[in-house]
């Protein structure tokens, strides 16, 4: 058997004809950046997320950077981000000119919370980026109260959480702005780099759109009211996303079934699964378990043909890019311990019950094998 960590081929086979049609429509319309496909996708994605506005942009990283810049967050400002995230969350903070302040996560969920953020607030704090890691929503009720009390902006990095909900409302629509990535491997993925920001704030959406398009005001290609860049969504990606969007809920349901089956099949094994918060319904982007001898277990699964990942082996606050000369990196014990133990199992809509059984058997023999005695 071989079970890849990700299987985009199986996903795309479901809608091959629609994807071919999308490509043909774009080339026939001959509009490549912005235009009707982008507008249609923006409307559809805002409606899906339950927000007034959506601005399609070039990537998830760009979505975060543009949002911070449009909020006026920059030089001299601190932005609180979890140390357990893809590096892009903190990278976008630096690109916007601000300073990331890394916070720890809760041991049971591996998510940031109001409690892990609170002590890191300072008079220079300007924003909190709530990251719905693994597709599991952060407690946004607690986070919104904290942000309001501290007088800082609250935005979401929902790059792993398409369709997730917190107390019945969709991720991305739970703060001032929700940032999405449509990188091919995400729950909703394009055929290249793509992203979006959703928000109820018309003025914020307009500023993001302007900065993403060389500072052009609406409808005028020759004026540049501020400096920006080429961070727009293109028509090919928008058409692909429009073709895939009707499948998202079905795929997320299938992901949930796979994740629930894993939870049952692995329940007796010596490993830890992240807790789910009762107010959340996750998008099940990643199935992350924690175990001892993680690298050995991972190698045993690889030998059995099972692809795995690690999200993430080196926490952001320990990455070289964020070290300052002469400054000792702060200690964030929960994320540092988890980084040595986390292992992401194959989780995509087409993982079968039989395959889950095989993964469970492979994990059981790797975890229960007695280490060979030396000598
Ligand atoms: C994928 C991802 C991003 C970055 O998205 P890109 O589209 O690759 O720029 C940001 N944050 C998180 C949590 C991600 O998983």
């Amino acid at each position: 058997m071989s079970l890849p960590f990700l299987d985009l081929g199986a996903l795309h086979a479901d809608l091959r004809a629609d994807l071919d049609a999308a490509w043909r429509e774009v080339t026939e319309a001959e509009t490549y950046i912005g235009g009707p496909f982008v507008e249609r996708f923006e409307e559809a994605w805002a409606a899906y997320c339950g927000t007034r506005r959506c601005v399609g942009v070039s990537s998830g990283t760009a979505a975060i950077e543009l949002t911070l810049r449009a909020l006026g967050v920059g030089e001299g400002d601190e932005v609180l981000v979890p140390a357990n995230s893809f590096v892009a969350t903190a990278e976008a903070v630096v690109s916007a000119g601000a300073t990331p302040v890394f916070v720890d996560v809760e041991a049971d969920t591996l998510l940031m919370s109001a409690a892990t953020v609170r002590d890191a607030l300072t008079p220079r704090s300007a924003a909190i980026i709530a990251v719905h890691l693994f597709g599991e929503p952060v407690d946004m009720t607690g986070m919104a109260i904290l942000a309001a009390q501290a007088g800082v902006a609250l935005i979401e990095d929902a790059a792993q959480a398409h369709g997730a909900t917190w107390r019945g409302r969709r991720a991305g629509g739970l703060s001032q702005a929700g940032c999405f990535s449509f990188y091919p491997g995400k729950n909703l993925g394009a055929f290249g780099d793509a992203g979006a920001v959703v928000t109820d704030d018309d003025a914020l959406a307009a500023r993001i759109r302007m900065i993403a398009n060389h500072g052009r005001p609406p409808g005028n290609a020759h004026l540049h009211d501020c400096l920006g860049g080429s961070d727009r969504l293109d028509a090919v990606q928008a058409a692909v996303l429009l073709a895939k969007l009707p499948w998202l809920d079905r795929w997320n349901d299938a992901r949930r079934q796979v994740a629930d089956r894993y939870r049952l099949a692995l329940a007796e094994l010596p490993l830890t699964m992240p807790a789910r918060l009762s107010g959340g319904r996750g998008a099940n982007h990643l199935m992350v378990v924690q175990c001892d001898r993680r690298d050995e277990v991972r190698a045993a699964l690889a030998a059995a043909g099972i692809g795995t990942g690690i999200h993430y082996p080196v926490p952001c606050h320990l990455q070289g890019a964020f070290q300052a000369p002469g400054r000792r990196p702060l200690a964030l014990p929960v994320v540092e311990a988890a980084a040595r133990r986390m292992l992401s199992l194959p989780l995509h809509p087409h993982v079968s019950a039989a395959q889950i059984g095989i993964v469970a058997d492979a994990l059981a023999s790797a975890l229960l094998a007695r280490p060979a005695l030396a000598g």
Side-chain angles (χ1 to χ4, degrees):
M1 188 203 67
S2 131
L3 175 56
F5 181 65
L6 194 68
D7 190 352
L8 290 176
L11 204 73
H12 294 149
D14 284 345
L15 67 163
R16 179 60 60 199
D18 291 349
L19 291 168
D20 291 346
W23 170 253
R24 206 177 45 244
E25 281 178 46
V26 171
T27 52
E28 280 168 10
E30 296 201 40
T31 83
Y32 300 106
I33 305 280
F37 295 96
V38 171
E39 282 163 24
R40 269 169 53 206
F41 175 70
E42 288 176 338
E43 262 171 46
W45 189 240
Y48 184 85
C49 295
T51 58
R52 283 174 53 79
R53 300 285 169 202
C54 168
V55 184
V57 298
S58 53
S59 72
T61 311
I64 302 168
E65 182 193 337
L66 291 163
T67 300
L68 291 171
R69 289 174 65 188
L71 285 168
V73 175
E75 191 78 42
D77 291 328
E78 292 177 352
V79 178
L80 294 100
V81 297
N84 197 28
S85 182
F86 181 54
V87 71
T89 317
E91 200 176 36
V93 172
V94 176
S95 301
T99 305
V101 173
F102 294 105
V103 303
D104 214 341
V105 292
E106 297 285 349
D108 57 348
T109 58
L110 299 180
L111 299 176
M112 68 200 292
S113 71
T116 72
V117 170
R118 188 175 288 115
D119 289 344
L121 287 165
T122 75
R124 303 201 322 165
S125 303
I128 299 169
I129 306 181
V131 182
H132 306 307
L133 197 68
F134 313 146
E136 216 46 39
V138 167
D139 173 352
M140 289 304 286
T141 312
M143 206 60 82
I145 292 169
L146 181 68
Q149 282 169 348
V152 303
L154 175 61
I155 68 174
E156 291 157 84
D157 176 344
Q160 300 187 0
H162 314 73
T165 60
W166 174 253
R167 299 197 171 163
R169 286 166 53 210
R170 286 242 161 86
L174 299 161
S175 63
Q176 279 163 269
C179 303
F180 286 93
S181 164
F182 304 114
Y183 183 81
K186 309 288 185 181
N187 286 29
L188 180 63
F191 279 6
D193 280 314
V197 183
V198 296
T199 179
D200 285 329
D201 182 336
D202 293 354
L204 181 65
R207 278 199 298 282
I208 291 169
R209 196 179 291 289
M210 200 160 98
I211 301 170
N213 188 23
H214 298 291
R216 289 182 176 118
N220 193 318
H222 301 294
L223 294 181
H224 305 275
D225 291 351
C226 66
L227 290 179
S230 293
D231 291 313
R232 303 154 300 208
L233 181 62
D234 67 69
V236 170
Q237 304 310 339
V240 167
L241 292 166
L242 275 167
K244 290 174 93 173
L245 181 53
W247 290 78
L248 177 58
D249 285 343
R250 242 174 300 177
W251 286 333
N252 277 354
D253 287 347
R255 284 176 176 275
R256 166 163 293 265
Q257 193 176 40
V258 172
D260 288 349
R261 281 190 175 135
Y262 269 128
R263 281 175 187 263
L264 270 178
L266 307 181
E268 305 299 323
L269 295 181
L271 47 75
T272 320
M273 280 167 279
R276 289 164 159 171
L277 296 175
S278 62
R281 187 174 167 85
N284 296 289
H285 178 61
L286 295 170
M287 179 74 208
V288 176
V289 300
Q290 292 181 70
C291 62
D292 293 338
R293 299 188 291 117
R294 187 264 321 274
D295 295 334
E296 270 173 61
V297 171
R298 186 173 196 215
L301 292 188
I306 300 164
T308 57
I310 303 176
H311 300 84
Y312 296 89
V314 181
C316 293
H317 69 295
L318 301 179
Q319 294 285 0
F322 299 107
Q323 306 312 312
R327 186 157 51 82
R328 210 150 39 95
L330 72 170
L332 298 174
V334 178
V335 70
E336 286 165 32
R340 290 189 287 272
R341 292 170 48 84
M342 287 189 287
L343 181 65
S344 306
L345 304 178
L347 172 54
H348 46 82
H350 294 83
V351 179
S352 69
Q355 287 172 320
I356 289 164
I358 292 168
V359 174
D361 289 347
L363 275 170
S365 54
L367 287 165
L368 305 174
R370 298 187 61 81
L373 290 177

